[in-house]
Amino acid sequence: METFHNIGSSSDWIVMILYFLLVMLFGSYFGKYNRSTKDFFFGGRRFAWWLIAFSIVATGVGSHSFVKYSAKGFEHGFSSTMTYLNDWFFMPFFLFGWLPLIVYSKIRSIPEYFEKRFSPSARFLATILLLFYMVGYISIGFLTLGKAAMPMLPESFSLFGMQIHITLMGVIIFIAIITGIYITFGGQTAVIFTDLMQGFILLFAGLLLFFLGLDYIGGWGVLWNILPTEWKLPLANFNKPPDFNFVGIFWQDGIAGSIGFLFMNMGLVMRFMATKSVDEGRKAATFNVLFMLPISAVVVGNAGWIGKAISLISPDLISPNASPDQIFVVVANIVSHPGVFGFIMAALTAALMSTVDTLINATAAIYINDIHRPIKHLLKKDNLSVRATEKKELAAARYSSVIITILGVVGVLAFKGFPTVYEAHGYFHSTLTPPLVVAIFLGIFWKKFTPAAVITTFIVGVALMLLGAYYPGILIRPFAQGIQMNPEHPYSYIRAFYNLIVCAVPGVLVVYTTMKQKAIVESLKKKSNVNEIMIGMTIVSVTVFVLIVFNIFHLAFSFVLIAILFVTVPLLVNYYVAYDPVSQTEGLTVWSIARAKEMFKGRKVNEEEGERIIVHWKVVDGDDEYIQFSKNDMERMKAKVDDLVYICDKRKYLGGLKSVHQIYGEPHDEDGIVYIKNEHLLNGVFVEGRPLTAEKEM
Amino acid sequence: MSEFLEIWLPFIYLYGVGGALFLIGMILVRKSGSLNMKLKRHRYWFRVLVFGYFYFFIFHFLFTIAGLYW
């Protein structure tokens, strides 16, 4: 396979360095808006939909997309980006299921949902699986960054007389240091604003490359006519070849990936939670899927399509066996001038960094919420004041960001062996998302889903997934729908289908046998040696799981072990976990969202639709959360005392940066004026003399 | 596999399996009351959701026709 080095000129490097400095300065500026971990992670739930929608572009498009879709575009044509157009099927579930639930239940991380909905043990297992997923995602991001940078670098350079060879891991470590510095001092508000800037620049750079490419080859007509028919179809061949087929990628990306991206990618979920209301989150998500993703499909894939056309017109410029993962950089260099190439590469690498830094920020949030706080709570070290705790947690969040960055770099080793980033990412999604995807999905939409069922999904599901990985030819083949097995990387995509089924079926079976399990547990409780029995059962379960992990026995016996796990795990959960199916589903499933809203507000919801008004502000003494409007202004907003209100700097282009959520206090008589407290002023960062808009939230 | 199926099976599969999931989602959010058709705002969102499904359906259909015959 032909590989490239030393692409680009000194002017390109100058442009790239300037761009990165600009991004870092931009991020540092917005770091001042972090006054707490709530701001650091969630941006203070204040932003307008359009700001979030554009900031998502850099996150969604960033991590792997330019490199991996250009690679597949070069190999297979327009269908390379088919996965950008298959997210709509889950929008009802997301817009009216997960999004309102996660906002109204005030949870700060996905594992926290598992504790509220199921049990602390479910949270513990979800945290482990989610950390694997997030760190794996960061690793894929770093791998892609390294692969994107390599063609621009020389094979080696000399420093103080020493000849130093540039390696992929060396480049990744260097990039990780820059990413770590920026995210550590920025936080979520910084991420949102740098992503916003980069989202625009990224779209511009991708489209610029497309038009420069079309101009280079002679226009759209030349591109369209030179490509064979199957290259012009929007969907890939149903089940061949093994490294790129429709049905495998549908289950890997369209199902597992879409649910994973919308439901368990904390980076993205946190972005939606940063919108000022659930409805604004819905607008951001809808706009993103309907408009930004189709545009992004062209932005990320076009270098591959142009590259293929160039390879057909001038095989001496791009050989048909050029390294697919390098095609984006090679095409960008061929079709653009020095400086412009630097700009495109800066946009690409900065976007990749956006995804990585968003994920690092999100993983740090999981660490703080699901490891740091529970441990502190367990050690009873929470007798500090709220402010002191906040300060300590903010510091811990920054340190954990650094450690997560290091783990992300180490994780690259697991994915380096795949021929392209596309396959590495496909394998990653197929393998790490199904248990959580099934657990979250059934937890949200099925009230009957119990702690025993979710933990069985995690443990028995993962055990069956491992067996599938050990025996793909036997276990995954029946689900392969005609896809041939590649012995080196068996069923990279369609294994997602198998994995989803083997995670869902045990959980569902456990739900339907709940009464039987409870009866067995009750009869066990009557025995005098029940504790010894349960401890013995725990030891057996752990041993069996370890035996399956290391694949010590033949497949048939492994299934006997799975059957043992399937019996012991639900019994153990039923014995040890206290679960109230009423209180632990209230406000936590799609069937009680109205109740979730009431719990969020703390009292009855006022759904009357009022006006948005413009007011000036005045600081008054006090340190409570109430702000006061005149009686007339409250009437216009259809608001009552104790309703929730959102006030924001009137300048729309700020997108809600200067805003706060508060509670309506007793009205006064001064129309057009809102009385706020000093703390509200500090949180909202309002500017003297600038009017505010005010609207009732609920 | 016939040439027709070779070309159109991914499209049928995408909007058949994907469509079934979409339909289940719509039924679930409506039956649960999360998408409350009594609220004007939610009726708007219902229309947006249905529009989105056909938006992508038509897009893929036309793109496939263009790829084959244009």
Side-chain angles (χ1 to χ4, degrees):
Chain A
M1 196 176 282
E2 189 185 358
T3 55
F4 299 84
H5 282 284
N6 268 328
I7 291 176
S9 61
S10 52
S11 52
D12 293 317
W13 280 103
I14 293 166
V15 170
M16 281 187 72
I17 290 163
L18 286 175
Y19 186 93
F20 271 88
L21 284 175
L22 187 72
V23 168
M24 285 173 79
L25 282 174
F26 200 69
S28 305
Y29 172 77
F30 287 101
K32 73 178 182 179
Y33 288 89
N34 298 319
R35 299 191 67 234
S36 65
T37 47
K38 189 178 153 198
D39 293 333
F40 188 81
F41 292 135
F42 301 102
R45 211 171 72 81
R46 62 174 91 175
F47 298 110
W49 70 269
W50 60 267
L51 197 146
I52 296 300
F54 278 97
S55 81
I56 290 166
V57 173
T59 300
V61 167
S63 78
H64 39 268
S65 310
F66 275 96
V67 172
K68 79 174 210 180
Y69 292 110
S70 294
K72 287 296 165 194
F74 182 66
E75 291 176 330
H76 300 283
F78 294 145
S79 59
S80 59
T81 52
M82 63 185 171
T83 53
Y84 271 71
L85 307 175
N86 61 14
D87 289 298
W88 194 258
F89 305 123
F90 290 98
M91 289 303 270
F93 297 100
F94 180 70
L95 298 185
F96 287 90
W98 191 223
L99 182 63
L101 274 180
I102 202 162
V103 171
Y104 294 142
S105 60
K106 292 186 183 173
I107 58 171
R108 289 187 169 201
S109 71
I110 289 164
E112 196 181 331
Y113 175 79
F114 278 90
E115 178 164 356
K116 283 190 170 183
R117 171 74 177 82
F118 301 108
S119 67
S121 43
R123 177 184 188 160
F124 172 72
L125 292 172
T127 303
I128 292 174
L129 289 169
L130 196 60
L131 284 176
F132 267 110
Y133 171 78
M134 300 296 281
V135 172
Y137 221 129
I138 292 165
S139 303
I140 293 275
F142 279 139
L143 174 66
T144 318
L145 272 163
K147 286 205 173 191
M150 283 296 276
M152 296 183 68
L153 302 168
E155 282 187 82
S156 62
F157 66 97
S158 82
L159 187 71
F160 304 121
M162 284 191 302
Q163 198 67 15
I164 298 172
H165 284 279
I166 295 177
T167 61
L168 182 65
M169 284 310 287
V171 174
I172 287 169
I173 290 166
F174 180 74
I175 290 165
I177 292 168
I178 298 173
T179 312
I181 292 170
Y182 154 61
I183 185 70
T184 307
F185 295 101
Q188 179 72 337
T189 305
V191 169
I192 287 172
F193 274 83
T194 45
D195 273 14
L196 174 70
M197 181 185 95
Q198 289 176 183
F200 282 115
I201 293 174
L202 190 65
L203 289 179
F204 175 74
L207 292 173
L208 175 70
L209 178 63
F210 187 43
F211 291 116
L212 286 174
L214 287 179
D215 184 55
Y216 184 85
I217 60 171
W220 169 256
V222 175
L223 175 70
W224 185 260
N225 291 322
I226 205 167
L227 296 178
T229 300
E230 65 268 30
W231 284 56
K232 290 189 270 191
L233 295 174
L235 302 171
N237 187 290
F238 185 72
N239 54 15
K240 58 184 184 230
D243 70 338
F244 190 75
N245 53 76
F246 167 80
V247 71
I249 292 166
F250 172 77
W251 284 100
Q252 170 259 312
D253 192 284
I255 305 296
S258 291
I259 304 177
F261 195 62
L262 284 170
F263 287 67
M264 56 180 264
N265 183 330
M266 273 302 290
L268 193 78
V269 171
M270 282 161 64
R271 205 57 70 78
F272 289 121
M273 289 163 79
T275 54
K276 67 178 185 182
S277 67
V278 168
D279 216 50
E280 290 286 297
R282 286 182 183 130
K283 284 184 202 168
T286 305
F287 185 79
N288 184 51
V289 178
L290 280 181
F291 302 108
M292 300 317 291
L293 287 185
I295 294 171
S296 302
V298 178
V299 164
V300 299
N302 75 76
W305 313 333
I306 300 284
K308 184 67 193 177
I310 294 174
S311 78
L312 292 171
I313 298 164
S314 320
D316 49 320
L317 266 179
I318 299 178
S319 125
N321 70 344
S323 166
D325 275 348
Q326 293 192 331
I327 209 69
F328 177 86
V329 183
V330 172
V331 168
N333 184 53
I334 290 172
V335 304
S336 59
H337 297 289
V340 176
F341 173 64
F343 164 71
I344 291 171
M345 284 309 296
L348 162 76
T349 42
L352 286 160
M353 278 178 64
S354 278
T355 304
V356 175
D357 58 43
T358 296
L359 289 164
I360 293 170
N361 183 265
T363 316
I366 295 167
Y367 167 75
I368 292 295
N369 287 301
D370 304 297
I371 297 175
H372 183 87
R373 278 191 195 134
I375 289 175
K376 291 279 173 198
H377 185 70
L378 203 69
L379 298 173
K380 303 202 186 315
K381 279 193 176 176
D382 50 356
N383 50 355
L384 295 169
S385 70
V386 174
R387 285 192 184 188
T389 308
E390 274 291 346
K391 206 175 167 189
K392 281 203 155 197
E393 287 186 352
L394 199 54
R398 293 196 161 121
Y399 293 131
S400 62
S401 299
V402 175
I403 293 165
I404 290 157
T405 306
I406 294 167
L407 288 174
V409 173
V410 174
V412 171
L413 298 170
F415 300 108
K416 262 178 71 183
F418 281 88
T420 61
V421 173
Y422 192 96
E423 279 146 284
H425 193 247
Y427 176 80
F428 157 77
H429 252 293
S430 307
T431 310
L432 287 176
T433 52
L436 275 170
V437 158
V438 168
I440 293 176
F441 211 69
L442 293 178
I444 299 167
F445 295 100
W446 199 19
K447 275 190 290 187
K448 288 182 179 174
F449 203 55
T450 59
V454 77
I455 290 174
T456 307
T457 290
F458 285 150
I459 294 174
V460 178
V462 169
L464 283 164
M465 279 169 50
L466 287 168
L467 284 187
Y470 287 128
Y471 304 99
I474 300 168
L475 296 179
I476 303 181
R477 191 187 296 274
F479 298 86
Q481 299 171 65
I483 298 169
Q484 291 296 308
M485 189 173 90
N486 172 2
E488 281 180 41
H489 301 287
Y491 302 124
S492 292
Y493 312 114
I494 198 69
R495 70 171 59 232
F497 184 36
Y498 164 82
N499 289 345
L500 286 167
I501 298 288
V502 299
C503 286
V505 170
V508 172
L509 288 175
V510 166
V511 169
Y512 284 114
T513 52
T514 300
M515 297 314 289
K516 191 79 190 158
Q517 296 149 32
K518 284 190 173 167
I520 296 171
V521 168
E522 285 309 313
S523 68
L524 285 173
K525 278 181 180 173
K526 286 174 189 156
K527 292 184 187 290
S528 57
N529 59 343
V530 61
N531 281 339
E532 288 78 9
I533 293 174
M534 298 322 281
I535 290 167
M537 211 183 272
T538 308
I539 293 167
V540 168
S541 304
V542 172
T543 311
V544 163
F545 189 76
V546 171
L547 291 174
I548 293 168
V549 168
F550 291 102
N551 192 29
I552 290 175
F553 298 105
H554 187 263
L555 180 63
F557 191 71
S558 295
F559 268 108
V560 175
L561 297 179
I562 292 279
I564 294 170
L565 267 188
F566 181 72
V567 173
T568 55
V569 170
L571 292 180
L572 285 167
V573 178
N574 274 302
Y575 180 77
Y576 285 114
V577 172
Y579 175 67
D580 177 0
V582 177
S583 69
Q584 286 184 264
T585 51
E586 196 171 64
L588 292 168
T589 72
V590 73
W591 301 93
S592 53
I593 285 197
R595 180 75 189 117
K597 212 170 170 180
E598 266 184 35
M599 286 157 82
F600 176 80
K601 189 183 172 186
R603 50 209 155 261
K604 201 168 169 20
V605 175
N606 173 4
E607 296 273 23
E608 230 184 329
E609 286 184 34
E611 285 177 50
R612 179 185 296 169
I613 65 166
I614 295 167
V615 286
H616 286 274
W617 53 273
K618 187 192 276 185
V619 177
V620 295
D621 288 339
D623 58 0
D624 56 43
E625 52 192 345
Y626 291 96
I627 62 172
Q628 293 154 293
F629 292 86
S630 74
K631 280 179 195 152
N632 292 332
D633 288 341
M634 293 229 343
E635 179 52 39
R636 285 171 64 196
M637 289 183 276
K638 303 282 182 211
K640 296 185 177 77
V641 174
D642 283 339
D643 282 347
L644 305 186
V645 58
Y646 172 75
I647 54 172
C648 172
D649 190 298
K650 185 172 166 278
R651 290 169 290 175
K652 282 193 173 173
Y653 64 85
L654 289 176
L657 178 66
K658 295 174 188 289
S659 64
V660 282
H661 285 269
Q662 295 302 329
I663 300 173
Y664 287 98
E666 291 296 335
H668 54 67
D669 293 318
E670 226 179 326
D671 286 347
I673 305 284
V674 56
Y675 295 171
I676 62 172
K677 313 285 159 57
N678 198 47
E679 184 64 18
H680 310 152
L681 177 63
L682 291 173
N683 281 331
V685 205
F686 300 131
V687 181
E688 191 71 50
R690 289 278 181 189
L692 309 175
T693 58
E695 59 188 298
K696 184 188 69 195
E697 190 188 0
M698 63 171 76
Chain B
M1 201 184 287
S2 72
E3 197 183 338
F4 175 82
L5 273 183
E6 188 99 16
I7 290 159
W8 288 100
L9 187 56
F11 177 82
I12 295 164
Y13 197 98
L14 179 65
Y15 288 97
V17 178
L21 289 165
F22 178 77
L23 192 65
I24 290 168
M26 290 296 274
I27 292 168
L28 266 177
V29 296
R30 280 197 65 175
K31 273 192 83 173
S32 65
S34 174
L35 179 68
N36 182 355
M37 296 299 276
K38 286 179 191 157
L39 297 174
K40 190 178 161 191
R41 193 83 203 131
H42 283 201
R43 288 199 293 277
Y44 163 78
W45 280 114
F46 177 80
R47 287 195 294 272
V48 169
L49 284 167
V50 175
F51 165 79
Y53 178 83
F54 287 105
Y55 169 85
F56 285 110
F57 182 97
I58 291 167
F59 175 83
H60 273 127
F61 180 78
L62 293 179
F63 207 130
T64 306
I65 296 286
L68 289 173
Y69 305 112
W70 186 38

